[in-house]
Amino acid sequence: MPGTAAGNTGLSTLRLGVSQKASEHPGRTGIELLNDGRDAFAIRKVLLESAERSIDLQYYIWHDDLTGNLMLEQVRAAAARGVRVRLLLDDNGIAGLDDVLRWMADLPNIEVRLFNPFRSRRFKPLDFLFRFRRANRRMHSKSFTVDNQVTIVGGRNIGDEYFAAKREGMFADLDAVCIGPVVQEVSDCFDRFWNSPLAVPIDTLGDAVAETRVRKLKTRINRLTNGSQSVSYGKQVAERPMLERIERGDIELTWAPVQLVSDPPEKALGARDKGGPLLDALTGIIGEPTKELLIVSAYFVPTKVGANALAGMAQRGVDVRVLTNSYASTDVGAVHAGYAKHRKLLVEAGVRLFEVPAPQDEPKTARKFVRTGSRERAGPPGSTLHAKAFSVDGTRLFVGSLNFDPRSFFLNTELGIVIDSDALATQMRAAFDDTIARNTYRVVLDGGELGWIDARDDDPVVERVEPGTSFASRMLVRILERFPIDWLL
């Protein structure tokens, strides 16, 4: 299959649909931010159904669950009608899908490649024991490009928790639909990964799937994608206003200069104490904040150097605000240790820290019969923050796969876009001023010690015990804080 993005898409339906809008904004990219999981699934579904020439998908995680299989079904349907499909997945994020992907690679018009594959297909963790330096580096980049005309980039992987298809364990996430010049940049970036020696065709990693096994896979997938859960979720997606807007052609895009920033695939072979081009590019594009730095990072591990830099900005008068997970809401407990040890320094310097409440933590109600109606959750009920974004000086916004942690900076490959838009940066500030400020724990100093204020409570007070923790969990975090593991987080 060709190693470059499709170039003959000028007459595709998608191209004809976006060309008029793009012609009115020469040199600019149209962006629609997606923070609702069902909207994010809906627009991907529409794009897969509309594809005529090519589908290029690059992901760190693709789950073997309802939405993961629904999307694979749509990919197979597109290939059956002649669309060229290239599926590039990190080998660490496809648990349970080896046979499905191997079977798909034998279908016409589909090629599947795995990035940095493990040597053992049946016992992948063995590579972390015997080839740790290599196995520990992963492709965290994410992009979804159809007909080389529309792309989606951001923090969202493929799975039920990312698309609001489950009741518990959901992720509040963010990605961006783009049309315009940046799409070709994303396609070129995909090609670099696709043609990298680290991207290995799955059909070279094992034998073809036996026909009896294929029949069992088809039966299981059919039951999953046509069962009651699928019908219920499909109805929820169909009722989303996003689909109505798409059908009416009423998508209101923000048009702005956009630059792609990405690590190269070779980063997965580098030394761990050196950063990648994405970090250098971000520094060059964004520069030093002079007024405001707003950070949303699911995994926030600033390290001593980063914490001192943020503290220094705050002390110079820069408004530095950070939204991240609390211990009770994070899905990676060890990451909290890399964050918690820097909180006091940051708060003392004037950095404002906001933590997402635990999914099961309900606000404390003082007025049992009269509610003000002012409390809204920042994200779906019971959600863990997974979004990655930041804005600088109210003029530029980054959306992508990059967390504010050493793993993103030094180990994994990352991808995102820098949007030069006062309007979108202002939206992020408004979210911090309003929704985030009213729906999170605010970390404060109380008598020289850390305290937490739950802004959702009717009568917020300072709590000296970290919400959602036990004595044992606090001791464990303190022990982990003493270990030099930040570079792994």
Side-chain angles (χ1 to χ4, degrees):
M1 187 172 289
T4 57
N8 58 337
T9 63
L11 296 178
S12 71
T13 302
L14 281 177
R15 172 59 182 170
L16 297 174
V18 305
S19 59
Q20 182 176 357
K21 292 180 181 291
S23 66
E24 297 171 359
H25 306 274
R28 300 197 168 206
T29 292
I31 308 114
E32 168 92 1
L33 297 182
L34 302 171
N35 54 25
D36 182 273
R38 287 162 296 184
D39 283 347
F41 182 87
I43 200 160
R44 284 169 169 84
K45 178 177 183 291
V46 170
L47 288 174
L48 291 176
E49 292 172 345
S50 303
E52 295 177 355
R53 301 288 194 276
S54 65
I55 296 171
D56 291 335
L57 308 179
Q58 178 181 15
Y59 280 97
Y60 172 58
I61 290 174
W62 196 301
H63 281 319
D64 182 25
D65 56 12
L66 174 62
T67 55
N69 279 283
L70 284 171
M71 207 160 287
L72 288 178
E73 283 276 86
Q74 293 168 335
V75 167
R76 289 191 290 269
R81 62 177 186 266
V83 179
R84 188 195 77 181
V85 175
R86 295 188 295 174
L87 187 55
L88 177 60
L89 303 174
D90 189 274
D91 197 25
N92 195 46
I94 55 168
L97 282 176
D98 275 44
D99 283 353
V100 173
L101 296 172
R102 181 65 184 84
W103 158 54
M104 286 180 60
D106 286 335
L107 299 175
N109 301 316
I110 300 179
E111 187 172 352
V112 180
R113 295 187 183 182
L114 302 183
F115 190 85
N116 194 13
F118 297 103
R119 287 180 176 175
S120 172
R121 305 311 303 158
R122 298 183 64 183
F123 302 104
K124 293 182 180 181
L126 289 176
D127 275 43
F128 284 101
L129 291 176
F130 299 110
R131 300 173 67 234
F132 179 77
R133 287 178 66 91
R134 174 72 173 268
N136 189 44
R137 291 176 172 274
R138 309 313 315 176
M139 182 189 74
H140 198 241
S141 313
K142 305 167 182 71
S143 66
F144 184 113
T145 306
V146 174
D147 283 353
N148 204 23
Q149 299 298 326
V150 183
T151 193
I152 303 175
V153 299
R156 198 173 262 113
N157 290 297
I158 306 298
D160 289 354
E161 61 266 48
Y162 303 98
F163 296 123
K166 55 195 302 187
R167 292 186 177 180
E168 296 181 354
M170 290 191 295
F171 285 166
D173 220 322
L174 179 70
D175 46 23
V177 184
C178 304
I179 65 173
V182 82
V183 178
Q184 185 60 55
E185 294 181 41
V186 174
S187 290
D188 292 342
C189 180
F190 181 94
D191 287 346
R192 286 193 292 274
F193 275 82
W194 184 258
N195 294 306
S196 166
L198 291 167
V200 180
I202 194 172
D203 53 12
T204 67
L205 297 174
D207 297 331
V209 182
E211 186 58 35
T212 53
R213 173 61 175 157
V214 170
R215 286 196 294 270
K216 291 180 180 179
L217 289 173
K218 289 181 177 179
T219 299
R220 182 180 70 85
I221 292 169
N222 184 63
R223 288 175 179 169
L224 178 63
T225 57
N226 291 284
S228 58
Q229 183 188 1
S230 179
V231 172
S232 174
Y233 182 69
K235 183 179 179 181
Q236 294 174 38
V237 171
E239 293 172 348
R240 295 300 301 167
M242 170 69 75
L243 278 183
E244 295 179 12
R245 291 168 55 206
I246 293 173
E247 291 172 358
R248 296 195 309 265
D250 191 25
I251 298 292
E252 292 295 330
L253 301 174
T254 298
W255 293 90
V258 173
Q259 296 183 63
L260 176 73
V261 286
S262 174
D263 287 314
E266 295 77 25
K267 184 181 178 185
L269 298 173
R272 72 172 175 87
D273 57 347
K274 295 182 181 179
L278 181 144
L279 190 57
D280 295 336
L282 275 177
T283 303
I285 293 171
I286 290 176
E288 183 80 8
T290 59
K291 299 178 182 177
E292 177 184 82
L293 175 61
L294 308 178
I295 298 172
V296 175
S297 182
Y299 311 118
F300 180 66
V301 184
T303 73
K304 184 177 181 180
V305 172
N308 284 332
L310 293 174
M313 289 181 199
Q315 290 168 339
R316 292 194 300 272
V318 178
D319 178 10
V320 181
R321 287 182 269 179
V322 179
L323 173 66
T324 191
N325 279 304
S326 65
Y327 175 82
S329 67
T330 186
D331 63 322
V332 184
V335 168
H336 190 75
Y339 154 63
K341 61 187 174 184
H342 301 294
R343 283 186 296 201
K344 190 172 183 180
L345 168 69
L346 292 169
V347 175
E348 285 177 335
V351 176
R352 288 186 273 177
L353 297 179
F354 301 89
E355 298 180 356
V356 174
Q360 299 81 22
D361 183 13
E362 294 295 328
K364 301 174 186 65
T365 304
R367 297 173 288 278
K368 296 182 183 299
F369 300 103
V370 181
R371 295 293 290 171
T372 64
S374 63
R375 301 296 187 255
E376 301 172 2
R377 283 210 54 125
S383 60
T384 289
L385 180 69
H386 193 261
K388 308 96 167 49
F390 62 85
S391 71
V392 176
D393 290 343
T395 60
R396 293 177 297 280
L397 175 70
F398 170 86
V399 177
S401 66
L402 177 82
N403 285 296
F404 204 95
D405 63 16
R407 173 161 290 279
S408 285
F409 291 156
F410 305 121
L411 295 175
N412 293 343
T413 71
E414 306 290 353
L415 179 150
I417 55 175
V418 177
I419 308 166
D420 232 339
S421 170
D422 295 357
L424 293 181
T426 298
Q427 284 182 26
M428 187 164 175
R429 182 192 300 130
F432 266 91
D433 288 344
D434 186 22
T435 307
I436 291 171
R438 293 188 295 113
N439 292 280
T440 56
Y441 306 142
R442 170 81 184 278
V443 185
V444 298
L445 282 179
D446 181 45
E449 298 298 327
L450 289 179
W452 288 261
I453 297 176
D454 189 341
R456 304 168 306 155
D457 292 349
D458 283 341
D459 296 316
V461 297
V462 178
E463 299 178 28
R464 294 293 294 271
V465 176
E466 185 170 357
T469 65
S470 63
F471 176 79
S473 65
R474 292 192 296 275
M475 289 301 101
L476 177 60
V477 168
R478 290 178 184 175
I479 292 170
L480 289 175
E481 288 176 1
R482 298 178 178 274
F483 284 86
I485 60 173
D486 279 8
W487 68 276
L488 285 170
L489 302 177

